[in-house]
């Protein structure tokens, strides 16, 4: 496979080989807010590339979009624009060409990634969170409603709720333990105070590339082409708040205090060689209604893991402890189906909107994507290498999510990291 002149992009363990070229937004001392392309351990400043004339072969609209501060204008350019930018970056970073490597501005274009402060890759107008893993829905359902775990609608539509875009935060932003209204029993009375059952949810996010007009649904067979790329999402959740508030209208304050997004958007074009035909539905399950039947639906086999680093592990120099490993290919509903269902009413998507998959849980105990499931609602505490136990998250805990694809004959390609540390409640 093609090598890059950026040596760190050729290491087998990197998430960012030449073929990834994930895009993100950063700010850096002396540069302000910029867009960047990630390659190996380096980031190319796209504003600087545009200024240096290195993007002049692109359509002017695409070039100007890449010189901007966030990805929205680039997303609006559509698949031709995305493809042309990717093709140009591929050629400029390829080991076979030296135009950028030998360019007089190369040293100002290329920056080590560790010096950068990563921002949200785009301005997210609307954020929707789904509930598309059968294992997760069954696990959670059986805890909250033992006699009735999966509601009758679940296998007929991708369940979701409208999330809160204003509290999306980039990786590395601390998460303050919120206060909330909770009740020890289903009947009340409630009390108000620091949330006790604080949790993470391991999710994959789809960044909408091109939207649709209000009133015009997106056809399920065209839906994948509206998605620009993918990120990792941590949907921080307050389980004690959720339990008391979720009926009858679904999650509200349990979910609105913070949602962490990984900084590098890996395009569907980069992920395409790793995708697989969607898994068939389990024997005996209902077929989706025609508007949710995607002719050539696909599964994206992203290996996902969650690790935790407690305050005392950090002090003792102990490495993060992996809590869960799972794979995104096992989702019951695809992003194409989620997007088709979401817009089936004519609801419009806009460039930069975020759809999150819902917690990705596998069928085994060590593949569950939330503490709620891993500790089975606190009844099976998890032992950490510092000797402590966890039922839910404690102050000082850092949650680190990672994702990558692997396939024979192809380099590993990754989504990077999604991190956040819990800070004590302010109240
Ligand atoms: Mn969620």
């Amino acid at each position: 496979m093609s090598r890059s002149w950026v040596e760190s992009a050729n290491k087998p363990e990197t998430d960012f080989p030449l073929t990834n070229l994930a895009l993100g937004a950063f700010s850096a001392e002396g540069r302000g807010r910029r867009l960047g392309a990630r390659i190996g351990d380096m980031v190319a400043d796209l504003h600087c590339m545009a200024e240096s004339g290195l993007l002049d072969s692109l359509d002017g609209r695409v070039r100007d979009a890449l010189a901007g501060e966030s990805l929205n204008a680039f997303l609006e350019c559509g698949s031709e624009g995305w493809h042309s930018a990717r093709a140009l970056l591929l050629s400029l970073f390829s080991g076979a060409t030296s135009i950028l490597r030998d360019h007089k501005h190369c040293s100002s274009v290329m920056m080590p990634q560790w010096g950068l402060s990563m921002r949200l890759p785009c301005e997210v107008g609307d954020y929707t969170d789904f509930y598309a893993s059968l294992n997760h829905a069954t696990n959670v359902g059986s805890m909250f409603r033992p006699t009735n775990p999966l509601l009758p609608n679940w296998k007929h539509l991708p369940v979701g709720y409208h999330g809160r875009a204003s509290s999306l935060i980039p990786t590395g932003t601390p998460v303050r333990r919120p206060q909330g209204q909770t009740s020890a029993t289903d009947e009340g009375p409630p009390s108000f105070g620091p949330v006790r059952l604080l949790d993470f949810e391991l999710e994959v996010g789809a960044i909408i590339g091109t939207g649709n007009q209000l009133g015009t649904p997106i056809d399920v067979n065209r839906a994948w082409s509206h998605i620009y790329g993918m990120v990792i999402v941590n949907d921080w959740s307050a389980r004690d708040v959720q339990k008391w508030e979720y009926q009858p209208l679904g999650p509200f304050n349990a979910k609105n205090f913070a949602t962490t997004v990984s900084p590098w958007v890996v395009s569907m074009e980069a992920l395409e060689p790793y995708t697989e035909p969607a898994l068939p539905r389990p024997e005996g399950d209902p077929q989706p209604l025609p508007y949710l039947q995607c002719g050539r639906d696909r599964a994206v086999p992203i290996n996902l893991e969650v690790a935790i680093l407690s305050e005392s592990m950090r002090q003792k120099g102990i490495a993060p402890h992996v809590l869960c490993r799972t794979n995104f290919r096992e989702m019951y509903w695809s992003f194409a189906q989620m997007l088709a269902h979401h817009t089936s009413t004519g609801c419009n998507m806009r460039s930069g909107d975020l759809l999150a998959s819902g917690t990705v849980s596998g069928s085994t105990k060590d593949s569950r994507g939330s503490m709620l499931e891993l500790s089975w609602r606190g009844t099976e505490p998890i032992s950490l290498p510092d000797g402590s136990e966890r039922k839910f998250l404690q102050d000082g805990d850092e949650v680190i999510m990672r994702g990558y694809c692997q396939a024979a004959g192809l380099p590993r390609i990754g989504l990077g990291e999604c991190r956040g540390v819990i800070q004590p409640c302010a109240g």
Side-chain angles (χ1 to χ4, degrees):
M1 195 56 210
S2 36
R3 293 175 66 83
S4 172
W5 52 266
V6 180
E7 273 310 316
S8 56
N10 303 323
K11 292 183 184 163
E13 71 276 13
T14 185
D15 277 347
F16 302 98
L18 174 62
T19 50
N20 187 331
L21 291 176
L23 301 181
F26 66 89
S27 56
E29 188 86 25
R31 296 184 195 237
R33 297 175 167 197
R34 301 271 171 96
L35 292 174
R38 177 78 187 258
I39 175 141
D41 294 337
M42 304 294 283
V43 174
D45 179 335
L46 294 170
H47 181 89
C48 194
M49 286 180 80
E51 297 259 284
S52 308
L54 286 158
L55 306 181
D56 280 354
S57 65
L58 295 176
D59 180 85
R61 183 182 170 207
V62 178
R63 184 197 57 213
D64 293 349
L66 290 175
E69 294 185 2
S70 83
L71 280 175
N72 300 66
F74 175 69
L75 297 172
E76 284 169 20
C77 290
S79 55
E80 257 179 63
W82 310 336
H83 176 74
S84 65
R86 176 177 166 79
L88 176 60
L89 292 173
L90 272 173
S91 76
L92 287 172
F93 289 111
S94 158
T97 54
S98 55
I99 301 162
L100 173 56
R101 191 194 65 201
D102 297 342
H103 195 278
K104 61 179 175 182
H105 292 142
C106 182
S107 60
S108 28
V109 167
M110 303 301 292
M111 302 165 295
Q113 60 87 18
W114 51 85
L116 305 179
S117 165
M118 298 308 298
R119 306 170 53 238
L120 286 178
C122 53
E123 284 164 34
V124 180
D126 281 293
Y127 156 53
T128 303
D129 193 27
F130 285 88
Y131 192 53
S133 157
L134 178 59
N135 293 310
H136 174 68
T138 307
N139 286 341
V140 175
S142 63
M143 284 179 238
F144 283 72
R145 294 177 304 274
T147 54
N148 188 21
L150 215 56
L151 295 173
N153 58 9
W154 199 90
K155 288 184 175 177
H156 295 281
L157 58 85
V159 169
Y161 66 93
H162 291 111
R164 187 75 199 165
S166 65
S167 52
L168 293 171
I169 50 177
T171 191
T173 310
V175 174
R176 198 167 281 288
R177 179 181 297 271
Q179 300 196 86
Q181 187 180 128
T182 61
S183 172
T185 71
D186 289 347
E187 287 74 37
S191 59
F192 185 80
V195 157
R196 280 168 297 124
L197 310 187
L198 189 57
D199 201 355
F200 59 81
E201 289 193 339
L202 167 66
E203 307 197 13
V204 171
I207 302 281
I208 298 298
T210 49
N212 58 308
Q213 293 289 324
L214 179 63
T216 308
I218 292 175
D219 185 282
V220 69
N221 287 301
R222 298 266 316 134
W224 277 111
S225 70
H226 285 263
I227 295 171
Y228 171 72
M230 293 190 168
V231 289
I232 302 172
V233 173
N234 183 348
D235 177 22
W236 303 96
S237 299
R239 300 303 182 192
D240 39 1
V241 174
Q242 185 176 0
K243 185 171 186 295
W244 173 238
E245 77 172 6
Y246 86 105
Q247 297 198 83
L249 275 185
F252 186 45
N253 281 359
K255 303 280 192 172
N256 73 4
F257 54 94
T259 305
T260 306
V261 180
S262 65
W264 296 104
V265 188
V266 181
S267 67
M268 291 314 301
E269 192 174 348
L271 290 168
E272 174 64 37
Y274 303 82
T275 61
E276 301 168 349
L279 295 169
R281 291 209 150 187
E283 190 95 9
D285 276 12
Q287 283 307 305
L289 291 171
Y291 81 102
L292 292 174
Q293 283 176 17
C294 185
R296 286 188 310 278
D297 208 355
R298 57 181 99 170
V300 189
I302 305 171
N303 296 286
L304 295 162
E305 68 169 49
V306 183
I308 187 169
L309 183 66
S310 70
E311 183 72 57
S312 87
M313 287 167 69
R314 198 176 305 119
Q315 283 167 7
K316 292 172 184 160
I318 301 173
H321 175 71
V322 175
L323 291 171
C324 135
R325 286 194 176 91
T326 185
N327 195 294
F328 190 56
R329 74 155 64 80
E330 287 182 51
M331 300 305 276
Y332 194 87
W333 296 102
S334 71
F335 273 124
Q337 291 171 312
M338 294 184 232
L339 190 48
H341 181 67
H342 200 323
T343 63
S344 61
T345 55
C347 173
N348 52 325
M349 293 287 144
R350 293 176 293 190
S351 297
D353 282 359
L354 174 66
L355 305 186
S357 62
T359 308
V360 184
S361 290
S363 53
T364 58
K365 229 176 151 173
D366 57 359
S367 63
R368 297 169 182 161
S370 66
M371 287 297 281
L372 177 70
E373 295 163 271
L374 287 163
S375 75
W376 207 253
R377 208 176 172 177
T379 59
E380 299 170 29
I382 294 158
S383 301
L384 299 188
D386 61 2
S388 65
E389 281 192 338
R390 285 294 178 284
K391 297 174 178 175
F392 291 91
L393 296 172
Q394 292 186 4
D395 293 347
D397 286 351
E398 183 173 25
V399 177
I400 305 156
M401 298 177 173
R402 295 191 180 94
Y404 65 94
C405 290
Q406 248 170 346
L410 295 172
R412 167 191 160 121
I413 192 172
L415 283 78
E417 287 185 342
C418 182
R419 306 174 81 108
V421 60
I422 304 297
Q423 290 188 336
C425 186

